[in-house]
Amino acid sequence: IHALTPSKEFQVNTYTKDMQWYPDTAMNANGDFVVVWESENQDGDIGGIFAQRFNSQGQRVKKEFQVNTNISSVQGSPAVAMDRAGNFVVVWESYSQDGDRFGIFGQIYKKTGKKLNKEFQVNTTIKNHQLFPDVAMDAKGNFVVTWTMVRKKKNMFDIFAQRFSRTGEPLGDEFQVNTYVDNNQWLSQVGMDRKGNFVIVWESFNQDSDSGGVYAQLYSCLLYTSDAADE
């Protein structure tokens, strides 16, 4: 068992006015990491998504930066994932950007911190709310995003997901994760291994006959085999 040697706690955000909250972080194989969060009023219109890169020693890499390009209304609840080399993707919920309440959007970054392409919409279905995104990335930069979606005919929730290539191209269609559909399934989290296999977990109400329970679905992704073979 290895002993932990903690550093001193340090402040991530440079801009301190109003609220900075809902942080998430991801780290690469060398220990370099990125932190993302929601910042109130920093972009001039309610919530925005900001980030700061750090090296493995906890030193800032350049300045904090804004992730979202669209600043109208609220952008919040960010999540981030990073590949082995340090390329990363940030996802978040954005209100009315897709024309109907909250939707999920993302932005890919190269390991240098430079944006790869433009911000993109994750969800294909835009009716009602898409909320609470999470994201995981494999060693090559391919990734999967999961979120909570309001059921069309009832005011209840289901878990959906969408896979993407390292350049942000969708791999197949968005798909429903939960097979049990009574009551609410929400607040999903996702983890992915270096080859692209992934597991999604979520909270399900009354599925175990006693209030909330935690459920999971494991996925084996053969589309990533060629990427894994050349590592």
Side-chain angles (χ1 to χ4, degrees), residues 155-175:
N155 192 25
M156 293 183 179
F157 304 110
D158 291 305
I159 306 302
F160 277 75
Q162 174 68 62
R163 294 178 298 129
F164 292 90
S165 74
R166 71 189 83 177
T167 58
E169 294 297 321
L171 297 174
D173 298 325
E174 69 178 23
F175 56 96

Side-chain angles (χ1 to χ4, degrees), residues 176-187:
Q176 186 166 343
V177 176
N178 57 293
T179 53
Y180 178 86
V181 297
D182 290 341
N183 297 309
N184 287 321
Q185 291 75 43
W186 64 341
L187 302 177

Side-chain angles (χ1 to χ4, degrees), residues 82-118:
M82 181 176 277
D83 71 14
R84 180 179 57 188
N87 306 298
F88 60 98
V89 60
V90 184
V91 296
W92 63 92
E93 58 186 37
S94 182
Y95 189 75
S96 77
Q97 188 173 344
D98 65 4
D100 189 30
R101 307 181 189 180
F102 276 103
I104 309 300
F105 289 80
Q107 177 67 62
I108 302 172
Y109 288 87
K110 298 180 181 179
K111 62 183 179 180
T112 59
K114 183 178 179 180
K115 290 182 178 181
L116 177 66
N117 303 324
K118 297 178 180 180

Side-chain angles (χ1 to χ4, degrees), residues 55-142:
N55 65 23
S56 60
Q57 303 303 309
Q59 299 166 330
R60 295 177 186 274
V61 178
K62 299 184 177 179
K63 297 179 180 180
E64 73 177 29
F65 56 94
Q66 185 163 4
V67 176
N68 57 296
T69 303
N70 177 73
I71 64 171
S72 178
S73 193
V74 180
Q75 289 76 44
S77 300
V80 61
M82 181 176 277
D83 71 14
R84 180 179 57 188
N87 306 298
F88 60 98
V89 60
V90 184
V91 296
W92 63 92
E93 58 186 37
S94 182
Y95 189 75
S96 77
Q97 188 173 344
D98 65 4
D100 189 30
R101 307 181 189 180
F102 276 103
I104 309 300
F105 289 80
Q107 177 67 62
I108 302 172
Y109 288 87
K110 298 180 181 179
K111 62 183 179 180
T112 59
K114 183 178 179 180
K115 290 182 178 181
L116 177 66
N117 303 324
K118 297 178 180 180
E119 75 177 26
F120 60 95
Q121 185 162 5
V122 172
N123 55 294
T124 304
T125 302
I126 63 172
K127 188 175 178 60
N128 295 321
H129 290 293
Q130 291 78 39
L131 302 162
F132 313 126
D134 195 38
V135 62
M137 183 175 271
D138 72 11
K140 292 289 187 176
N142 306 300

